[in-house]
Amino acid sequence: LGSWTDYTTFRRLDVHGIAEAIDGSNSAGIMTLSSYEDAGFYGAYQDNDFHDNAPGGIKQYSQEKLLWEDNLFRDSGGGPDLKADVHRFEVRNCLFRNDVTATCGLFGNMNFGIPESGEGGEASGEIRYNLMLCAGGSAQEVNQDSMAGRIDLYRNTFVGHVTVRAAAADDGPFNFSRNVIVNDETGTDHVSFYESDT
């Protein structure tokens, strides 16, 4: 029968003026909840403008074959998040600009799947042709909780810090190809590796 969250489409929305981001509540313009037994399939977010909000634009849990395309995420309290149990995603041709937060910058908290618990499954995805402008913070964070499968990042422009969390032996690979990364005056510190949170 499928889930009621299958084939959801959000297109050409102007989401702005959300005045409060409650810490720890996953505040967002649009959020899908965690449901490991009944993930949504084929969600599409296209041509939306998320701007001037206290929280970020989208927070996603439990999605299969998810597409974010041609969206604007700008002038808000943080970037959108791909959270746990998001399998086979694609983020393409989006603009991320002037989002401010101390930790995740434009596109952080990317914890994909919980394979060690037997719930959900290993996630994989592509992040391509995006422009991420966050010179004062983190433009991209991959594998925050050491739960990620293969992620390909190519032909993006990242202005801001790019972080890959230290991974377990079976995590990844995380492939960066043909990206432009501007985040350090010396030009030597394009991608940083940190110990895992877990």
Side-chain angles (χ1 to χ4, degrees):
L1 296 175
S3 167
W4 67 271
T5 59
D6 292 350
Y7 300 100
T8 54
T9 301
F10 294 87
R11 182 174 291 152
R12 298 181 184 151
L13 299 177
D14 184 354
V15 180
H16 65 281
I18 300 173
E20 187 174 8
I22 301 169
D23 188 36
S25 71
N26 284 322
S27 301
I30 299 173
M31 179 184 166
T32 59
L33 297 176
S34 176
S35 175
Y36 298 120
E37 294 81 22
D38 195 17
F41 280 78
Y42 305 109
Y45 296 75
Q46 297 172 300
D47 299 306
N48 300 299
D49 187 357
F50 297 89
H51 64 95
D52 299 295
N53 297 305
I58 307 173
K59 291 195 179 185
Q60 306 269 216
Y61 288 86
S62 299
Q63 298 292 304
E64 302 263 359
K65 300 183 179 178
L66 174 69
L67 172 65
W68 294 357
E69 181 178 43
D70 298 321
N71 297 298
L72 304 177
F73 302 97
R74 59 191 179 93
D75 303 312
S76 294
D81 294 334
L82 293 173
K83 303 290 263 184
D85 199 43
V86 176
H87 316 144
R88 195 63 209 127
F89 64 90
E90 185 164 353
V91 178
R92 69 180 179 223
N93 200 38
C94 295
L95 169 67
F96 305 80
R97 187 186 69 208
N98 294 336
D99 293 334
V100 292
T101 180
T103 55
C104 68
L106 291 171
F107 205 41
N109 296 331
M110 298 172 65
N111 6 346
F112 305 119
I114 309 180
E116 69 274 9
S117 70
E119 298 176 331
E122 187 173 277
S124 63
E126 296 181 358
I127 300 171
R128 57 190 178 126
Y129 304 113
N130 300 288
L131 177 57
M132 303 184 181
L133 306 173
C134 191
S138 174
Q140 176 75 62
E141 184 172 336
V142 178
N143 200 37
Q144 184 192 46
D145 294 330
S146 284
M147 299 179 183
R150 178 180 178 134
I151 302 173
D152 293 297
L153 305 97
Y154 59 98
R155 293 198 175 181
N156 301 286
T157 298
F158 301 113
V159 179
H161 210 78
V162 177
T163 302
V164 178
R165 293 285 183 177
D170 56 351
D171 287 355
F174 310 120
N175 299 312
F176 288 80
S177 176
R178 298 187 179 185
N179 298 288
V180 175
I181 305 174
V182 181
N183 64 15
D184 184 82
E185 291 179 357
T186 65
T188 58
D189 184 23
H190 293 306
V191 181
S192 294
F193 297 88
Y194 288 93
E195 292 297 324
S196 172
D197 287 343
T198 57

